[in-house]
Amino acid sequence: MVHDRSTYINGMKVILNMHQVDLSAVDLNLLKLFEALVRERSVTQAGLRLGLSQPAASRALGRLRTMLGDRLVVRGKLGLELTPRGEALAGPVAKLLDDARGIVSPAVFDPASATGRITIAAHDHLSLMVLAGLMARFERHAPALSLHIAQPVGDNVRLIEQGGADLALGIFDALPGSLHRRSLYADSLVCVMRADHPAVSEGLGLERYVSLRHIAVTISGVGESAVDVALSAQGRTRHVALRVPHFLAGAMLVADSDMILTLPGRLARLLAERLPLALLELPLQLAPLSPAMIWHERFHRDPAHVWVRQQLVDVVAAFNQDG
């Protein structure tokens, strides 16, 4: 008997033929390798995750390809890339393995004896905001549990959907129904300049703001920034002299130049404790920022993930009290 199931890859509808399979002939352990490959995009690193040597991992990949009838991963410019069938299988395989772990795992979580790794996808500024507090909690309550910050991919939504990370931090618009969201704290944008910049003493009105040379931080590379949208609504533009992908790099460059950077206020205050920076009010009215964490439904009730999410909530609650 053959059952057809459809999925969408890059906007194209693909029909997957689902043949009845004798599960006794299937090595389900190979699916754990596939899950690790999706996360690591490296045969060597995937093998290390599973306790396999590189040759053993390569042999297992060969068996996996034979079992699923596809190469699944191929070499690309930035490491291994999933084939279309690999893309289609990433989510279902992650859910299958998570369901299997839920069947055999205890329903309780003891942080003191917990081992393993939690993966969080976050850009540099959000990592800086929460990592010190989060690692302090890990050290105190779950010393054998490790934390990995994954390379961000756009807004990280797809990464969470495919199981490439357990949590993602960011500012998110509409989310798929399979994802959960919890806001972490409120923030607003401010301007940052070197401490002895002339505008610090002379004041920063809108005319002065748009006349300066700006550093712009491009995180996802999608759409205009809130600052440029607000300026455009007033018929104005700013001169972006430099675009960088990281707030921390932007702050370092501002400290040694006459350029100006607009960035989240909580981050700006943290950086000003370490760099010779001055903070000025942004001469624009913008909606508040609301960074959040998102996670997949398959982790929603998992005791370990519930515990980790609560640690993040407690971390941001602590600095929310500081304003």
Coordinates of all heavy atoms in Angstrom, one line a residue, residues 262-308:
T262 N 22.6 53.7 16.8 CA 21.4 53.6 17.5 C 21.2 52.1 17.9 O 21.2 51.2 17.0 CB 20.2 54.0 16.6 OG1 20.5 55.3 16.1 CG2 18.9 54.0 17.3
L263 N 21.0 51.9 19.2 CA 20.9 50.5 19.6 C 20.0 50.4 20.9 O 19.6 51.4 21.5 CB 22.3 49.9 19.9 CG 23.0 50.3 21.2 CD1 24.3 49.4 21.3 CD2 23.4 51.7 21.2
P264 N 19.6 49.2 21.3 CA 18.7 49.0 22.4 C 19.3 49.6 23.7 O 20.5 49.4 24.0 CB 18.6 47.5 22.5 CG 18.8 47.0 21.1 CD 19.8 47.9 20.6
G265 N 18.5 50.3 24.5 CA 19.0 51.0 25.6 C 19.6 50.2 26.7 O 20.6 50.6 27.3
R266 N 19.1 49.0 27.0 CA 19.7 48.1 28.0 C 21.1 47.7 27.6 O 22.0 47.7 28.4 CB 18.8 46.9 28.3 CG 17.4 47.3 29.0 CD 16.6 46.0 29.3 NE 15.4 46.4 29.9 CZ 15.2 46.6 31.2 NH1 16.2 46.6 32.0 NH2 14.0 46.9 31.6
L267 N 21.2 47.4 26.4 CA 22.5 47.0 25.9 C 23.5 48.2 25.9 O 24.6 48.1 26.3 CB 22.4 46.4 24.4 CG 23.7 46.1 23.7 CD1 24.5 45.0 24.4 CD2 23.5 45.8 22.3
A268 N 23.0 49.4 25.5 CA 23.8 50.6 25.5 C 24.4 50.9 26.9 O 25.5 51.2 27.1 CB 23.0 51.7 25.0
R269 N 23.5 50.7 27.9 CA 23.9 51.0 29.3 C 25.0 50.0 29.7 O 26.0 50.3 30.4 CB 22.7 51.0 30.2 CG 21.8 52.2 30.0 CD 20.8 52.4 31.1 NE 19.8 51.3 31.1 CZ 18.7 51.4 30.4 NH1 18.5 52.4 29.6 NH2 17.8 50.4 30.4
L270 N 24.8 48.7 29.3 CA 25.8 47.7 29.7 C 27.1 48.0 29.0 O 28.2 47.9 29.6 CB 25.3 46.3 29.2 CG 26.1 45.1 29.6 CD1 26.2 45.0 31.1 CD2 25.5 43.9 29.0
L271 N 27.1 48.4 27.7 CA 28.4 48.7 27.0 C 29.0 49.9 27.5 O 30.3 50.0 27.5 CB 28.1 48.8 25.5 CG 27.6 47.5 24.8 CD1 27.2 47.9 23.4 CD2 28.7 46.5 24.8
A272 N 28.2 50.9 28.0 CA 28.8 52.2 28.5 C 29.6 51.9 29.8 O 30.4 52.8 30.1 CB 27.7 53.2 28.7
E273 N 29.4 50.8 30.4 CA 30.1 50.5 31.6 C 31.5 50.0 31.3 O 32.4 50.0 32.1 CB 29.4 49.4 32.5 CG 28.1 49.9 33.0 CD 27.3 48.7 33.7 OE1 27.9 47.6 33.7 OE2 26.2 48.9 34.2
R274 N 31.7 49.6 30.0 CA 33.0 49.0 29.6 C 33.7 49.9 28.5 O 34.9 49.7 28.3 CB 32.8 47.6 29.1 CG 32.2 46.7 30.1 CD 31.6 45.4 29.5 NE 31.3 44.4 30.5 CZ 30.2 44.4 31.3 NH1 29.4 45.5 31.2 NH2 30.0 43.5 32.2
L275 N 33.0 50.7 27.8 CA 33.6 51.5 26.8 C 33.4 53.0 27.0 O 32.4 53.4 27.7 CB 33.0 51.1 25.4 CG 33.2 49.7 24.9 CD1 32.3 49.4 23.7 CD2 34.7 49.5 24.5
P276 N 34.2 53.9 26.5 CA 34.0 55.4 26.7 C 32.9 55.9 25.8 O 33.1 56.5 24.7 CB 35.4 55.9 26.3 CG 35.9 55.0 25.3 CD 35.5 53.6 25.7
L277 N 31.7 55.6 26.2 CA 30.5 55.9 25.4 C 29.6 56.9 26.1 O 29.5 56.8 27.3 CB 29.7 54.7 25.0 CG 30.5 53.7 24.1 CD1 29.6 52.4 24.0 CD2 30.8 54.2 22.7
A278 N 28.9 57.7 25.4 CA 27.8 58.6 25.9 C 26.5 58.1 25.3 O 26.4 57.8 24.1 CB 28.1 60.0 25.6
L279 N 25.4 58.1 26.1 CA 24.1 57.8 25.7 C 23.3 59.0 25.6 O 23.2 59.9 26.5 CB 23.5 56.8 26.7 CG 23.8 55.3 26.6 CD1 25.3 55.1 26.8 CD2 23.0 54.5 27.6
L280 N 22.6 59.1 24.5 CA 21.7 60.3 24.2 C 20.3 59.8 23.8 O 20.2 58.7 23.2 CB 22.2 61.2 23.1 CG 23.5 62.0 23.5 CD1 24.7 61.2 23.2 CD2 23.5 63.3 22.7
E281 N 19.3 60.5 24.1 CA 17.9 60.1 23.7 C 17.8 60.2 22.2 O 18.3 61.1 21.5 CB 16.9 61.1 24.4 CG 15.5 60.7 24.1 CD 14.5 61.6 24.9 OE1 15.0 62.4 25.7 OE2 13.3 61.5 24.6
L282 N 17.1 59.2 21.7 CA 16.8 59.2 20.2 C 15.8 60.2 19.9 O 14.7 60.2 20.5 CB 16.4 57.8 19.8 CG 15.9 57.6 18.4 CD1 17.1 57.7 17.4 CD2 15.3 56.2 18.2
P283 N 16.0 61.1 19.0 CA 15.1 62.2 18.7 C 14.0 61.7 17.7 O 13.6 62.4 16.7 CB 15.9 63.3 18.0 CG 17.0 62.5 17.4 CD 17.3 61.3 18.3
L284 N 13.4 60.5 17.9 CA 12.4 59.9 17.2 C 11.4 59.2 18.1 O 11.9 58.6 19.1 CB 12.9 59.0 16.1 CG 13.6 59.5 14.9 CD1 14.3 58.3 14.1 CD2 12.5 60.2 13.9
Q285 N 10.2 59.1 17.7 CA 9.2 58.4 18.5 C 9.0 57.0 17.9 O 8.6 56.9 16.7 CB 7.8 59.1 18.5 CG 7.8 60.4 19.3 CD 8.1 60.2 20.8 OE1 7.6 59.2 21.4 NE2 8.9 61.0 21.4
L286 N 9.5 56.0 18.6 CA 9.4 54.6 18.1 C 8.7 53.7 19.1 O 8.7 54.0 20.3 CB 10.8 54.0 17.8 CG 11.6 54.7 16.7 CD1 13.0 54.1 16.6 CD2 10.9 54.7 15.4
A287 N 8.1 52.7 18.6 CA 7.4 51.7 19.5 C 8.5 51.0 20.3 O 9.6 50.8 19.9 CB 6.6 50.7 18.7
P288 N 8.1 50.6 21.6 CA 9.0 49.9 22.4 C 9.4 48.6 21.8 O 8.7 48.0 21.0 CB 8.2 49.7 23.7 CG 7.1 50.7 23.7 CD 6.8 50.9 22.2
L289 N 10.6 48.1 22.2 CA 11.1 46.8 21.8 C 10.7 45.8 22.8 O 10.6 46.0 24.0 CB 12.6 46.8 21.7 CG 13.3 47.9 20.8 CD1 14.8 47.8 20.9 CD2 12.8 47.7 19.3
S290 N 10.4 44.6 22.3 CA 10.0 43.5 23.2 C 10.7 42.2 22.8 O 10.1 41.3 22.2 CB 8.4 43.3 23.2 OG 8.0 42.3 24.1
P291 N 11.9 42.0 23.3 CA 12.6 40.8 23.0 C 11.9 39.6 23.7 O 11.3 39.7 24.7 CB 14.0 41.0 23.6 CG 14.2 42.5 23.7 CD 12.8 43.0 23.9
A292 N 11.9 38.5 23.0 CA 11.2 37.3 23.5 C 12.0 36.0 23.2 O 13.0 36.0 22.5 CB 9.8 37.2 22.7
M293 N 11.6 35.0 23.9 CA 12.1 33.6 23.5 C 11.0 32.8 22.9 O 9.8 33.0 23.2 CB 12.7 32.9 24.8 CG 11.7 32.7 25.9 SD 12.4 31.7 27.2 CE 11.2 31.9 28.5
I294 N 11.4 32.0 21.9 CA 10.5 31.1 21.2 C 11.0 29.7 21.3 O 12.2 29.4 21.4 CB 10.2 31.5 19.8 CG1 11.5 31.4 19.0 CG2 9.6 32.9 19.7 CD1 11.3 31.6 17.5
W295 N 10.1 28.7 21.3 CA 10.4 27.3 21.3 C 9.3 26.5 20.6 O 8.2 27.0 20.4 CB 10.6 26.8 22.7 CG 9.4 26.9 23.6 CD1 8.5 25.9 23.8 CD2 8.9 28.0 24.4 NE1 7.5 26.3 24.7 CE2 7.8 27.6 25.0 CE3 9.4 29.3 24.5 CZ2 7.1 28.5 25.9 CZ3 8.7 30.2 25.4 CH2 7.5 29.8 26.0
H296 N 9.7 25.3 20.3 CA 8.7 24.4 19.5 C 7.8 23.7 20.5 O 8.1 23.4 21.6 CB 9.5 23.4 18.7 CG 8.7 22.8 17.6 ND1 7.8 21.8 17.8 CD2 8.7 23.1 16.2 CE1 7.3 21.4 16.6 NE2 7.8 22.2 15.7
E297 N 6.6 23.4 19.9 CA 5.6 22.7 20.7 C 6.2 21.4 21.3 O 5.8 21.0 22.4 CB 4.4 22.4 19.8 CG 3.4 21.4 20.3 CD 2.7 21.9 21.6 OE1 2.6 23.1 21.8 OE2 2.3 21.0 22.4
R298 N 7.1 20.7 20.5 CA 7.6 19.4 21.0 C 8.3 19.5 22.3 O 8.5 18.6 23.0 CB 8.4 18.7 19.9 CG 9.6 19.4 19.5 CD 10.4 18.6 18.4 NE 11.5 19.4 17.9 CZ 11.4 20.1 16.8 NH1 10.2 20.3 16.2 NH2 12.4 20.8 16.3
F299 N 8.8 20.8 22.6 CA 9.6 21.0 23.9 C 8.7 21.6 25.0 O 9.2 21.9 26.0 CB 10.8 21.8 23.6 CG 11.9 21.2 22.8 CD1 12.5 21.9 21.8 CD2 12.2 19.8 22.9 CE1 13.5 21.3 21.0 CE2 13.2 19.2 22.1 CZ 13.8 19.9 21.2
H300 N 7.5 21.9 24.6 CA 6.7 22.8 25.5 C 6.5 22.2 26.9 O 6.6 23.0 27.9 CB 5.3 23.0 24.9 CG 4.5 24.0 25.6 ND1 4.9 25.3 25.9 CD2 3.2 23.9 26.2 CE1 4.0 25.9 26.5 NE2 2.9 25.1 26.7
R301 N 6.4 20.9 27.1 CA 6.1 20.3 28.4 C 7.3 19.5 28.8 O 7.3 18.9 29.9 CB 4.9 19.4 28.3 CG 3.6 20.3 28.2 CD 2.4 19.4 28.2 NE 1.2 20.2 28.1 CZ 0.6 20.7 27.0 NH1 1.2 20.5 25.9 NH2 -0.5 21.4 27.1
D302 N 8.4 19.5 28.1 CA 9.6 18.7 28.5 C 10.2 19.4 29.8 O 10.5 20.6 29.8 CB 10.6 18.8 27.4 CG 11.9 18.0 27.8 OD1 11.9 16.8 27.6 OD2 12.8 18.6 28.3
P303 N 10.3 18.6 30.9 CA 10.8 19.2 32.1 C 12.1 19.9 32.1 O 12.2 20.9 32.7 CB 10.9 17.9 33.1 CG 9.9 16.9 32.5 CD 10.0 17.1 31.0
A304 N 13.0 19.4 31.3 CA 14.3 20.1 31.2 C 14.2 21.4 30.5 O 14.8 22.4 31.0 CB 15.3 19.2 30.5
H305 N 13.4 21.4 29.5 CA 13.3 22.7 28.7 C 12.4 23.7 29.5 O 12.7 24.9 29.5 CB 12.7 22.4 27.4 CG 13.6 21.8 26.4 ND1 13.8 20.4 26.4 CD2 14.4 22.2 25.5 CE1 14.7 20.1 25.5 NE2 15.1 21.2 24.9
V306 N 11.4 23.2 30.2 CA 10.6 24.1 31.1 C 11.6 24.7 32.1 O 11.5 25.9 32.4 CB 9.5 23.3 31.8 CG1 8.8 24.1 32.9 CG2 8.5 22.8 30.8
W307 N 12.5 23.9 32.7 CA 13.4 24.5 33.7 C 14.3 25.5 33.1 O 14.5 26.6 33.7 CB 14.2 23.3 34.3 CG 15.2 23.8 35.4 CD1 14.9 24.0 36.7 CD2 16.5 24.2 35.2 NE1 16.0 24.4 37.4 CE2 17.0 24.5 36.5 CE3 17.4 24.2 34.1 CZ2 18.4 25.0 36.7 CZ3 18.7 24.6 34.3 CH2 19.2 25.0 35.6
V308 N 14.9 25.3 31.9 CA 15.8 26.2 31.3 C 15.0 27.5 31.0 O 15.5 28.6 31.2 CB 16.4 25.6 30.0 CG1 17.1 26.7 29.2 CG2 17.3 24.5 30.4

